[in-house]
Amino acid sequence: MTKKNRRVRKAVLPAAGLGTRFLPATKAQPKEMLPVVDKPLIQYVVEECLASGIENIIIVTGRGKNAIEDHFDSSPELERFLESKGKTEQVEMVRSISNMLNFSYTRQKEPLGLGHAVLTARELVGDEPFAVLLGDVIIPGPCPATRQIMEVYEEIGIGTIAVETVPTERTNLYGIIDTQPADQTRWGKRLLRIRNLVEKPKPADAPSNLAVTGRYVLPPEIFDCLERTPPGSGGEIQLTDGLRLLAQEQGLYALEYEGQSYDAGDKLGFLKATVEIALQNSEFGEEFRAYLRELKL
Ligand code: G1P
């Protein structure tokens, strides 16, 4: 494969889940549209794509997810209204969201699992490598995890996923990897070859405490692997199980990426993400920090 063929231009964002962990907030609105401080969750992920050099975003949606399409579409009435009030900064902000990147949408008709959601994007991805970003995880910062694993793929040509260490008692919340050292590369010990992956093992069964973060760069061969993947954990077609086949047949790397992830997938994680991102806000972060200090906890 030439280096040109390894260029990662597309990203798949699975957004078809029912968001049951956030009921009742998600009864009539998509989980991906819940705001963390001042932006919906999915916008953080789209901004990570933009900062990573991705050109095309493919969002896998389902019933009741129209608000996502509207959010990334142009909104002429709102823009005209803001313009008439002289709110030029807000006009620019609203416009920049729809101009960010090229968006395509496809629907997962039944909630058959994350692996199935990725497979739904097959036609739109075509025969080229692509990134997958899970919207529950926010990784702000100047050098996104997606960019870091894209660099590995573009140099080595083998699928690569971002991983991080989690406390042993939390392995049942993540895909967990079993590794062996990779050949020597500029990433040193941070780059590992994956021998096996297990979806949400109990701590006693976990092969390590290196967890799959929710950022993947994969070759198109993953689609054939997913076609052959039977339902696994929770009766769903798991991406983790498809990745195990890919690791056996084509090889797969894990990169301990540099950066900080916030898991907004459940209520407590979402709250922590909100507090930490609010603390970094240039407009009111300091005031918010002072407020938190004043709370009699
Ligand atoms: C998914 C994946 C899991 C991964 C996790 C990261 O699980 O199946 O392998 O570690 O995302 O957040 P979910 O959190 O959707 O249950």
Side-chain angles (χ1 to χ4, degrees):
M1 200 196 299
T2 64
K3 280 215 167 177
K4 191 162 164 273
N5 294 342
R6 289 187 199 158
R7 208 160 82 76
V8 182
R9 303 181 306 137
K10 298 182 178 176
V12 173
L13 276 45
L18 297 175
T20 50
R21 279 184 277 188
F22 280 94
L23 282 169
T26 49
K27 183 162 177 263
Q29 71 163 334
K31 171 180 76 173
E32 294 75 13
M33 291 303 293
L34 295 177
V36 172
V37 185
D38 55 359
K39 280 186 278 196
L41 265 175
I42 195 162
Q43 192 174 326
Y44 287 92
V45 177
V46 167
E47 286 176 1
E48 182 178 336
C49 290
L50 186 67
S52 299
I54 294 285
E55 293 161 16
N56 297 287
I57 304 260
I58 299 161
I59 304 187
V60 182
T61 66
R63 287 171 62 78
K65 301 279 184 168
N66 295 350
I68 299 177
E69 288 190 47
D70 289 344
H71 184 72
F72 293 111
D73 195 3
S74 63
S75 39
E77 300 85 3
L78 179 61
E79 286 172 28
R80 266 199 303 275
F81 175 78
L82 293 170
E83 255 162 8
S84 74
K85 301 281 175 203
K87 301 196 171 182
T88 39
E89 244 178 64
Q90 284 178 309
V91 180
E92 280 317 307
M93 185 247 283
V94 166
R95 214 169 262 153
S96 73
I97 296 170
S98 55
N99 291 337
M100 260 182 201
L101 290 156
N102 298 316
F103 292 90
S104 324
Y105 298 88
T106 182
R107 277 192 174 219
Q108 186 186 19
K109 296 198 182 91
E110 289 172 273
L112 296 179
L114 181 59
H116 181 260
V118 172
L119 194 49
T120 307
R122 183 174 199 162
E123 288 303 312
L124 288 172
V125 171
D127 193 23
E128 60 179 283
F130 63 103
V132 178
L133 291 87
L134 306 189
D136 288 351
V137 182
I138 315 178
I139 315 178
C143 184
T146 301
R147 179 70 236 155
Q148 295 176 43
I149 54 176
M150 278 164 68
E151 278 169 12
V152 178
Y153 186 86
E154 288 174 355
E155 192 159 317
I156 303 181
I158 289 188
T160 304
I161 67 177
V163 296
E164 64 193 67
T165 304
V166 294
T168 308
E169 67 276 11
R170 287 177 63 83
T171 57
N172 62 333
L173 300 173
Y174 301 94
I176 301 290
I177 59 168
D178 183 15
T179 62
Q180 61 197 61
D183 299 336
Q184 249 191 352
T185 62
R186 68 183 167 98
W187 292 277
K189 286 191 178 134
R190 289 199 296 126
L191 191 66
L192 298 154
R193 186 176 274 276
I194 295 182
R195 211 167 15 198
N196 194 14
L197 306 92
V198 192
E199 182 66 6
K200 306 199 169 92
K202 291 192 205 107
D205 302 331
S208 73
N209 54 359
L210 278 179
V212 177
T213 300
R215 299 292 185 267
Y216 314 76
V217 169
L218 302 171
E221 286 79 13
I222 185 65
F223 293 122
D224 283 332
C225 298
L226 287 169
E227 292 274 12
R228 287 181 276 132
T229 301
S233 167
E236 297 184 342
I237 297 175
Q238 295 291 347
L239 180 56
T240 301
D241 295 336
L243 292 176
R244 183 178 317 113
L245 279 181
L246 185 73
Q248 286 160 3
E249 295 174 9
Q250 307 262 329
L252 185 64
Y253 281 131
L255 180 72
E256 286 189 72
Y257 71 97
E258 288 173 335
Q260 164 77 52
S261 72
Y262 299 106
D263 185 357
D266 58 45
K267 288 177 191 169
L268 184 60
F270 187 89
L271 260 181
K272 288 182 185 170
T274 303
V275 169
E276 299 213 20
I277 290 174
L279 285 170
Q280 292 161 23
N281 188 284
S282 57
E283 197 185 315
F284 52 73
E286 278 317 306
E287 220 175 302
F288 184 54
R289 187 180 305 276
Y291 163 75
L292 289 181
R293 285 209 178 101
E294 275 167 25
L295 288 178
K296 305 258 179 295
L297 298 172

